[in-house]
Amino acid sequence: MSYTGADLIAGGLAQLGVEHVFGIVSIHNLPIIDAVNRLGKTRIIDVRHEQAGAHAADGYARATGKLGVMIASTGPGTSNTVTGLYEAQYASSRVLLITTQADTKYYGKGLAYVHEGEKQVSMLGSVCRRVESPRYASRLGEALQAVISDIYSGRPAPGAIEIPLDIQRKQALPVNITYPDNHSILDERQFEYLRERLASTKRRILIAGGGVISANASAEFQSLAEKLGSPVITTEAGRGAIPEDHPLCIGNYYASRKIHKAIRNAEVSIAVGTKFAVGIEGMLEALVPPGDLIQIDIDGGSIGRTHKVHLGIQADAKTALIKINSALANLQSADEEFNNSVLTARDELRSLMRKRIGSDFARIMDSIRARLPKNGIFVRDQTVAAYNWGNQQFPILKPRTSIHPASGALGPGLPMALGAAVGSGEKTIVIHGDGGLMFHATELASAAQYAAPVIVCVFNDSGYGVLRWMQHEQYGRVSDTDLGKVAFAKMAHSMGVPAQRVKSVEEFENALETAIATRGPYLIDIDMEHFTPMEMMTRMPEKWVEVDITS
């Protein structure tokens, strides 16, 4: 039997240990789909929309630490993936798009070949760091290897390869596709200076970004925190780098002026794996880490980009943390008074924020945490519940169990949860608003088809709640943000997902018990008009200077 380009792709995925790929079948990817299924090493998870498939691959990558893969088709299929790849790029997530293209004899000729995308490579190049488009079967293997090597070199990033239909069918030679062996080259002088600087300080702060998680360096990071006795602030992407019930963990409160006031006398701040995103209209740029900033990042271009650094170390987080932990010696004990003031500020802030969400939603949050296993995955879409408690107050206890739309996109929650659940096999809870859920509600059918253990909690306020509030604050009126009340439980039932609408905390707790015990997906439609309202805890950008966004 002949060995084709499609077989090379299927074999490459198998060599890389890819167990699942997300995809939508098309006339232009039939050879690849058939080859993957014929080989039988990788399972295809059929999604209902290519954007959702890219988001699912992203969620899969974040939850497992493995390569997330989406198989699409040329033209409209590929253009549909761009938003998902944009999110993956923003989140530094390892996602591979395998897409297709018109036969090479038609490609670029302007002959209106069905689904042809003549500018597809440049389109994908706007959201992927590397895109390959081999025109000969003999180059297919090296093209695939080039994309894989790029995805795994430096800061994680999505990549793409487009494969013309005729090359999928042409004979090819088997190749060996591997992950690159990347090692950070460490400057011993930097680590000697760092050791001496840490030994001379007593007031130290650690900041954990998503790079700690992606490098699988949580154990090493926690060890450093405990050796230094330093309070730990995380970014949203860094949640889980240290358990949020750990006594040294402040949590995702980098954006709090209350916390920045408490840490202002720190002598040194050590930031690991964060690019210091500036937020809306540069709001976070004003929050400068106190003392000497030591920034460790695999991407040298991120070091010193937002804040002036005292020492920048370009290295993989795990490699750097192992080196730092082994080099520490003659440390002074942490300043107890400083630490206590920071931890007291944390406790006061947590208490204040809990009061603001009201008793009903505090109980819902506690109920979810009590029932979701430590390894269970907590996904948030961009919604009122996420802003008010999901992104900060809900305790994250393990790495890779916290997933959110890093780009601020509305709607990725459900497909990312689907990917996370498929990859991990763990119970996965996603909190959604009704507006965001409608972006990809059809993926409930995918969840049902594969019995994915996803529990969808829809906080239903009949519209875009955050935007509605912003309109009221800015203009004193509301428009285009009311969507009407959708019967999500009935919608879920129509796609084979058990569901119920709840109108009280007690009904929610009973529904959650049922959902946890159910094999496969479950949806809980939370009718928010029957619950004590939450106080909105986001702030308008122009009020940033005057108002602490979290206290």
Side-chain angles (χ1 to χ4, degrees):
M1 186 176 180
S2 64
Y3 186 87
T4 67
D7 292 313
L8 187 154
I9 296 298
L13 293 175
Q15 290 168 351
L16 294 170
V18 176
E19 297 174 323
H20 302 90
V21 300
F22 301 87
I24 291 183
V25 66
S26 162
I27 58 172
H28 294 120
N29 62 25
L30 284 175
I32 293 175
I33 296 292
D34 183 73
V36 170
N37 285 324
R38 186 162 22 89
L39 185 61
K41 300 291 186 181
T42 305
R43 187 182 187 190
I44 296 175
I45 305 297
D46 301 316
V47 292
R48 273 45 179 182
H49 193 279
E50 289 91 353
Q51 181 182 333
H55 285 312
D58 182 8
Y60 183 98
R62 295 196 219 181
T64 65
K66 301 175 183 178
L67 179 66
V69 182
M70 171 63 189
I71 298 176
S73 179
T74 187
T78 297
S79 64
N80 280 342
T81 68
V82 169
T83 299
L85 293 170
Y86 168 82
E87 167 65 26
Q89 180 190 58
Y90 211 101
S92 303
S93 189
R94 295 185 176 104
V95 173
L96 168 66
L97 171 67
I98 299 172
T99 189
T100 56
Q101 187 50 267
D103 287 39
T104 52
K105 69 177 181 178
Y106 298 113
Y107 190 4
K109 302 294 178 60
L111 297 175
Y113 186 100
V114 65
H115 292 177
E116 180 179 26
E118 293 191 7
K119 302 294 185 181
Q120 188 165 273
V121 168
S122 57
M123 177 180 68
L124 289 171
S126 70
V127 289
C128 294
R129 193 165 56 203
R130 181 153 190 156
V131 182
E132 288 287 331
S133 178
R135 305 301 172 88
Y136 303 95
S138 60
R139 287 209 57 242
L140 182 55
E142 65 182 85
L144 178 60
Q145 181 64 70
V147 176
I148 294 297
S149 295
D150 184 81
I151 289 172
Y152 279 85
S153 296
R155 180 181 292 276
I161 182 171
E162 66 165 22
I163 309 168
L165 182 56
D166 58 323
I167 290 180
Q168 297 175 48
R169 291 171 172 159
K170 284 184 178 178
Q171 284 199 289
L173 294 175
V175 295
N176 187 33
I177 305 297
T178 61
Y179 293 112
D181 186 13
N182 294 317
H183 291 290
S184 298
I185 299 174
L186 304 179
D187 185 334
E188 294 294 332
R189 293 169 300 177
Q190 289 184 320
F191 286 89
E192 176 61 22
Y193 174 82
L194 176 58
R195 183 192 67 78
E196 292 176 356
R197 184 71 185 100
L198 292 178
S200 68
T201 63
K202 301 177 69 174
R203 300 187 302 276
R204 303 169 285 243
I205 289 293
L206 284 170
I207 304 169
V212 176
I213 307 293
S214 64
N216 296 318
S218 298
E220 290 79 8
F221 184 85
Q222 182 173 332
S223 177
L224 176 62
E226 291 170 348
K227 287 181 178 180
L228 295 175
S230 298
V232 175
I233 300 171
T234 71
T235 65
E236 192 167 353
R239 298 186 70 192
I242 184 171
E244 290 184 349
D245 60 357
H246 190 287
L248 288 172
C249 185
I250 306 302
N252 176 31
Y253 292 112
Y254 184 79
S256 169
R257 289 191 181 278
K258 184 178 185 69
I259 295 299
H260 273 260
K261 183 177 180 180
I263 66 175
R264 67 186 183 278
N265 292 325
E267 298 166 282
V268 64
S269 295
I270 307 172
V272 186
T274 176
K275 54 193 174 188
F276 286 112
V278 300
I280 300 173
E281 298 186 10
M283 291 190 303
L284 300 182
E285 190 176 12
L287 298 176
V288 179
D292 294 340
L293 174 59
I294 297 168
Q295 187 175 359
I296 301 168
D297 202 284
I298 198 167
D299 178 12
S302 292
I303 297 174
R305 180 181 292 169
T306 305
H307 301 298
K308 181 179 178 181
V309 299
H310 192 75
L311 173 64
I313 298 176
Q314 183 178 355
D316 166 80
K318 193 178 189 77
T319 303
L321 289 168
I322 289 173
K323 181 69 175 177
I324 294 170
N325 281 324
S326 66
L328 290 180
N330 302 318
L331 284 172
Q332 300 183 62
S333 297
D335 185 320
E336 188 173 341
E337 182 178 353
F338 171 77
N339 277 13
N340 285 340
S341 68
V342 176
L343 298 175
T344 297
R346 172 202 65 187
D347 294 343
E348 291 174 350
L349 184 56
R350 287 179 177 176
S351 177
L352 175 63
M353 293 182 71
R354 185 177 177 89
K355 289 178 181 177
R356 286 182 172 181
I357 65 174
S359 59
D360 285 352
F361 290 104
R363 286 176 61 190
I364 284 177
M365 176 178 69
D366 294 342
S367 180
I368 294 174
R369 181 65 278 174
R371 289 164 177 79
L372 183 67
K374 283 188 176 183
N375 288 328
I377 299 169
F378 185 61
V379 182
R380 286 92 63 206
D381 199 66
Q382 295 292 94
T383 184
V384 172
Y387 296 137
N388 282 14
W389 54 266
N391 293 340
Q392 294 175 313
Q393 296 187 68
F394 183 88
I396 300 299
L397 305 178
K398 292 212 167 186
R400 299 195 181 281
T401 63
S402 171
I403 297 176
H404 72 289
S407 68
L410 184 66
L414 175 55
M416 287 200 300
L418 172 65
V422 166
S424 68
E426 300 286 349
K427 281 289 183 184
T428 301
I429 291 181
V430 54
I431 60 172
H432 242 299
D434 51 302
L437 183 61
M438 290 298 287
F439 280 48
H440 296 296
T442 49
E443 298 313 316
L444 289 169
S446 299
Q449 180 178 350
Y450 298 100
V454 177
I455 300 172
V456 184
C457 297
V458 190
F459 289 82
N460 191 344
D461 62 0
S462 306
Y464 299 121
V466 174
L467 293 171
R468 183 190 285 147
W469 176 83
M470 286 183 170
Q471 286 181 332
H472 185 269
E473 287 286 296
Q474 285 190 332
Y475 308 112
R477 56 187 175 274
V478 172
S479 64
D480 306 301
T481 46
D482 290 327
L483 301 176
K485 189 166 290 186
V486 176
F488 286 104
K490 291 181 179 179
M491 177 190 289
H493 284 138
S494 75
M495 287 183 266
V497 176
Q500 60 179 296
R501 173 171 282 185
V502 299
K503 297 181 179 180
S504 69
V505 175
E506 290 74 21
E507 287 182 0
F508 174 81
E509 290 175 338
N510 291 334
L512 185 59
E513 290 278 5
T514 302
I516 292 286
T518 298
R519 179 182 177 272
Y522 201 95
L523 182 141
I524 305 173
D525 185 1
I526 302 162
D527 191 340
M528 291 178 69
E529 71 174 272
H530 297 280
F531 292 78
T532 303
M534 287 182 275
E535 179 182 340
M536 190 65 68
M537 279 183 278
T538 188
R539 292 290 185 266
M540 304 309 300
E542 65 270 19
K543 296 183 181 179
W544 173 261
V545 176
E546 297 91 20
V547 182
D548 178 352
I549 65 170
T550 56
S551 70

